[in-house]
Amino acid sequence: MNVNNTRLIQDLKNIVGERHILTAKWSKEQYCKGWRYGEGEALAVAKPETLLEIWKVLQICVEMDIIVIMQAANTGLTGGSTPYGSDYDRPIVIINTMRISDIHIINEGKQIVGFAGSTLFGLENKLAIYRREPHSVIGSSCIGASIVGGICNNSGGALVKRGPAYTEFALYAQVNSKEQLVLVNELGIELGNTPEEILTNLQKQNYNQDQIKFPKKFASDNQYQKRVRDIDKETPARFNADERRLYGASGCAGKVAVFAVRLDTYPIPKKNQVFYLGTNSTKVLGQLRKDILSQSKNLPTSGEYLHRDCYDAAKKYSKDTFIAIDKMGPSFIPKLFEFKRKVDLIAEKFRFLPNKFSDKLMQFLSFFWPNHLPHRMEEYRDKYEHHWVIEMSDEGIQEAKKYFEKFFSKNDGGFFECTKKEGRKAILHRFVIASATPRYHILNSEKSGGTMSLDIALPRNATDWFEILPPEIDDLLEMKLYYGHLFCHVLHHNYIVKKGVDVETLQNKLLKIYDSKGAEYPAEHNVGHEYFAKPSLSNFYKKLDPTNSFNPGLGSTSKRKHWK
């Protein structure tokens, strides 16, 4: 079908308004290029203001046989929220939902309904008066990630008691096998019969308590605590292609158009305590993990591992991000990333300015800031190779302290109880690590090869969790950064390869090593356009989107209509 571009653009403008339909290459660029990975071309970017406007844009796109890519904050790490390449068989329209950020508090704050563009940070603020908090409170929330994006991508899991983002309550549109656009209301709220009624009533919060139903369905992964404690199982605790957590919007990766999701919230602990652990033995950390998960009455809030090399890289190359969050709060980070993108787009127009100008400028300025890390952390950096930041809450604090005192009286390593300031900085230092590898690569691109990142979920019973590579692979790497969520055995490996090394070939070799260990990947970042979708995942995509109208090509699947 030949698309009348002029008519399409005009129809979109009639729905959303001329100001919110982007067609110029410069204005579309930040939406067509992934935050870290992947880019492609779109005919237009639509930025609707209401749920009904999304529906009307979808109607136009389905009628004219246009591919739709739903996008919120575009903070994904694997390129799954933007076009990828130029080999699509139909034109693409991106629907960016960030103007639709409503959050409804229901059931006295125990649950929420988050709209398509609502953010984790916005939800954290809204829940504060209820003394409750969202699924994730740091990490993805710091870069402005959306609530719906987390659900669609099986994100999260850093918080040990909560597991990956999940719900069986959602409102979404899909294109069925007859190429008809249909609205699926699984929110558990009676909102009317027609799409127009349902979307308008939800937008205006035109429903009462009696219309909110509580069927036997999950609004979180409330079985995860038992699963993560089952340390003798030969399968990972959580991973992207886990069939037990693929349902409707959950794990859909944009293969349906999600309008809203309904989620559980969590009570804020009365007291928190961060413990900083150090050792030179990976076996010590393995034993700690095993003991805590199998014997402790109280699970930790989180447990974040980082290797000494990772500590050093984050200290040097993530310093500006750390300072920005520490001094101005997480709410500033989306603004910072938006500013960086615009600066780089402008800099590309001037030949005298270097590529990735914003990163080089921020790195230069960071040298003038004094050491931002606490003295006791720096002492542990010099003393120990392996670091583990464990946060406990309420009754678990004293239990953990007694255990650590007894354990380290007999084993290599040590621990200290962080002050509030130390604890905040220790956690923040761990969560800014992700920016260290791309920053290093930008500054050393002339002498270095490409970058590579692995998001690996090891079996729960694995003992050899720390990567030891054969020399023939290790010799190809310039830098290795190891960090992750050790309690659930989800590890992130970031690499810089040496000049001339083929990244794809090397990555396949690494993944074969992890295949032999029974690992799954990706663990929490979705396949995007970086990983291969296993049958459990690709079949789920095909069931949701039989005509392949939404976000084609994920996980190296077909970009063609009807999956040809």
Side-chain angles (χ1 to χ4, degrees):
M1 178 178 178
N2 292 323
V3 175
N4 185 329
N5 290 357
T6 304
R7 180 199 153 194
L8 170 67
I9 300 302
Q10 189 55 54
D11 286 348
L12 294 179
K13 287 179 178 178
N14 290 341
I15 296 167
V16 179
E18 186 168 349
R19 180 184 172 190
H20 300 294
I21 298 296
L22 310 179
T23 56
K25 184 176 178 61
W26 186 87
S27 64
K28 292 185 296 181
E29 197 160 353
Q30 65 177 315
Y31 304 95
C32 293
K33 189 172 184 177
W35 180 65
R36 188 192 70 83
Y37 180 84
E39 61 184 296
E41 186 57 50
L43 200 60
V45 176
K47 301 173 68 178
E49 187 179 22
T50 66
L51 300 176
L52 187 55
E53 285 183 3
I54 294 179
W55 175 258
K56 291 179 178 179
V57 169
L58 291 173
Q59 286 180 311
I60 295 293
C61 291
V62 172
E63 177 193 339
M64 300 184 73
D65 202 16
I66 304 289
I67 288 171
V68 172
I69 295 179
M70 299 293 293
Q71 178 191 92
N74 189 18
T75 57
L77 298 178
T78 57
S81 57
T82 63
Y84 184 78
S86 56
D87 56 340
Y88 295 88
D89 62 343
R90 292 151 288 167
I92 297 170
V93 166
I94 296 171
I95 300 179
N96 184 280
T97 62
M98 292 304 289
R99 295 177 68 210
I100 311 173
S101 58
D102 308 52
I103 298 171
H104 295 171
I105 305 295
I106 61 175
N107 195 19
E108 299 177 331
K110 294 176 183 176
Q111 289 189 329
I112 63 97
V113 176
F115 284 24
S118 57
T119 65
L120 289 165
F121 182 74
L123 178 56
E124 190 176 349
N125 286 341
K126 195 147 189 175
L127 287 173
I129 62 171
Y130 296 90
R131 294 291 300 162
R132 299 184 74 84
E133 60 188 11
H135 173 270
S136 298
V137 294
I138 195 168
S140 58
S141 59
C142 285
I143 55 174
S146 71
I147 296 169
V148 168
I151 292 296
C152 294
N153 295 316
N154 300 111
S155 299
L159 300 183
V160 182
K161 301 174 188 177
R162 301 179 190 177
Y166 181 75
T167 187
E168 293 168 4
F169 294 90
L171 177 64
Y172 59 90
Q174 62 185 155
V175 179
N176 63 23
S177 58
K178 297 178 182 178
E179 302 187 29
Q180 298 168 327
L181 182 69
V182 294
L183 186 67
V184 180
N185 181 10
E186 295 181 337
L187 271 182
I189 304 175
E190 295 175 351
L191 295 165
N193 298 311
T194 68
E196 290 76 14
E197 285 178 335
I198 293 169
L199 296 169
T200 301
N201 285 334
L202 180 61
Q203 185 88 53
K204 295 181 177 181
Q205 204 166 358
N206 186 24
Y207 56 89
N208 57 42
Q209 183 63 39
D210 293 337
Q211 291 169 275
I212 302 172
K213 306 302 177 183
F214 295 90
K216 292 183 179 180
K217 294 168 68 174
F218 295 142
S220 61
D221 189 354
N222 62 0
Q223 299 175 346
Y224 185 73
Q225 289 194 30
K226 181 180 179 181
R227 186 174 177 85
V228 77
R229 282 187 182 275
D230 201 350
I231 56 173
D232 295 321
K233 289 291 185 181
E234 296 180 351
T235 55
R238 59 186 176 95
F239 56 98
N240 196 255
D242 186 357
E243 290 184 85
R244 62 183 278 278
R245 286 297 174 254
L246 298 175
Y247 184 101
S250 292
C252 73
K255 297 302 292 180
V256 294
V258 183
F259 294 93
V261 293
R262 177 175 163 185
L263 301 172
D264 289 334
T265 66
Y266 304 86
I268 295 175
K270 297 181 180 68
K271 187 178 180 182
N272 295 287
Q273 177 62 56
V274 175
F275 295 93
Y276 200 97
L277 284 63
T279 181
N280 288 307
S281 169
T282 58
K283 290 183 179 179
V284 164
L285 293 190
Q287 188 61 50
L288 278 163
R289 172 187 175 271
K290 186 176 181 180
D291 288 352
I292 292 171
L293 290 179
S294 62
Q295 300 172 18
S296 294
K297 181 180 178 181
N298 301 280
L299 278 175
T301 300
S302 64
E304 297 301 311
Y305 167 77
L306 63 157
H307 185 266
R308 177 191 280 154
D309 292 344
C310 209
Y311 181 107
D312 292 344
K315 179 181 176 181
K316 182 175 181 179
Y317 298 108
S318 303
K319 185 177 181 180
D320 53 299
T321 305
F322 181 105
I323 293 166
I325 297 175
D326 188 44
K327 300 302 178 184
M328 289 171 275
S331 62
F332 178 72
I333 296 304
K335 300 183 183 74
L336 177 63
F337 278 95
E338 181 74 12
F339 177 72
K340 281 177 80 280
R341 279 178 172 175
K342 289 181 177 178
V343 167
D344 287 336
L345 289 173
I346 293 170
E348 288 175 6
K349 313 301 178 187
F350 299 94
R351 292 184 180 180
F352 62 88
L353 290 175
N355 189 35
K356 299 291 183 180
F357 174 68
S358 67
D359 282 278
K360 293 175 180 178
L361 176 63
M362 290 173 70
Q363 184 65 28
F364 173 75
L365 294 174
S366 71
F367 290 137
F368 296 98
W369 197 273
N371 186 4
H372 56 291
L373 297 178
H375 178 68
R376 288 199 288 181
M377 281 176 60
E378 294 284 74
E379 287 183 332
Y380 266 50
R381 181 264 166 225
D382 293 338
K383 195 173 182 180
Y384 299 117
E385 181 181 359
H386 305 285
H387 299 234
W388 203 6
V389 184
I390 297 179
E391 184 175 8
M392 301 297 299
S393 63
D394 298 335
E395 292 81 6
I397 296 172
Q398 197 59 30
E399 181 186 21
K401 182 180 178 181
K402 288 181 179 179
Y403 168 73
F404 293 147
E405 288 173 342
K406 182 179 179 180
F407 183 89
F408 283 113
S409 68
K410 302 175 182 177
N411 294 278
D412 170 73
F415 82 99
F416 64 85
E417 293 180 76
C418 295
T419 64
K420 282 191 175 182
K421 184 176 181 180
E422 286 174 330
R424 177 171 51 81
K425 289 196 170 189
I427 292 172
L428 185 52
H429 184 58
R430 156 62 186 91
F431 276 103
V432 298
I433 284 170
S435 62
T437 307
R439 176 65 61 80
Y440 174 91
H441 185 254
I442 287 167
L443 297 174
N444 298 276
S445 57
E446 292 185 3
K447 68 174 185 178
S448 301
T451 64
M452 181 171 56
S453 64
L454 297 184
D455 174 26
I456 301 292
L458 292 172
R460 283 165 280 176
N461 67 347
T463 55
D464 56 340
W465 60 270
F466 186 75
E467 181 178 80
I468 304 294
L469 294 172
E472 63 272 18
I473 291 181
D474 200 50
D475 290 344
L476 302 176
L477 298 169
E478 181 177 318
M479 175 188 277
K480 299 175 294 185
L481 299 184
Y482 298 135
Y483 59 101
H485 319 296
L486 197 52
F487 282 115
C488 53
H489 263 179
V490 168
L491 298 173
H492 303 303
H493 296 171
N494 291 354
Y495 311 89
I496 303 286
V497 306
K498 291 181 178 177
K499 200 81 170 177
V501 174
D502 184 86
V503 172
E504 187 174 350
T505 301
L506 181 57
Q507 179 166 310
N508 288 335
K509 289 180 180 179
L510 285 168
L511 291 177
K512 283 182 180 178
I513 292 174
Y514 285 102
D515 286 337
S516 69
K517 294 182 177 183
E520 293 281 355
Y521 48 84
E524 61 184 17
H525 291 159
N526 207 293
V527 290
H529 293 283
E530 194 170 17
Y531 293 92
F532 177 80
K534 293 186 175 181
S536 60
L537 199 55
S538 61
N539 290 336
F540 177 62
Y541 293 161
K542 290 174 182 178
K543 183 179 178 181
L544 288 176
D545 185 17
T547 65
N548 207 14
S549 297
F550 291 101
N551 211 2
L554 292 171
S556 298
T557 59
S558 172
K559 292 181 177 179
R560 306 291 172 181
K561 190 171 183 178
H562 296 292
W563 302 88
K564 293 180 181 177

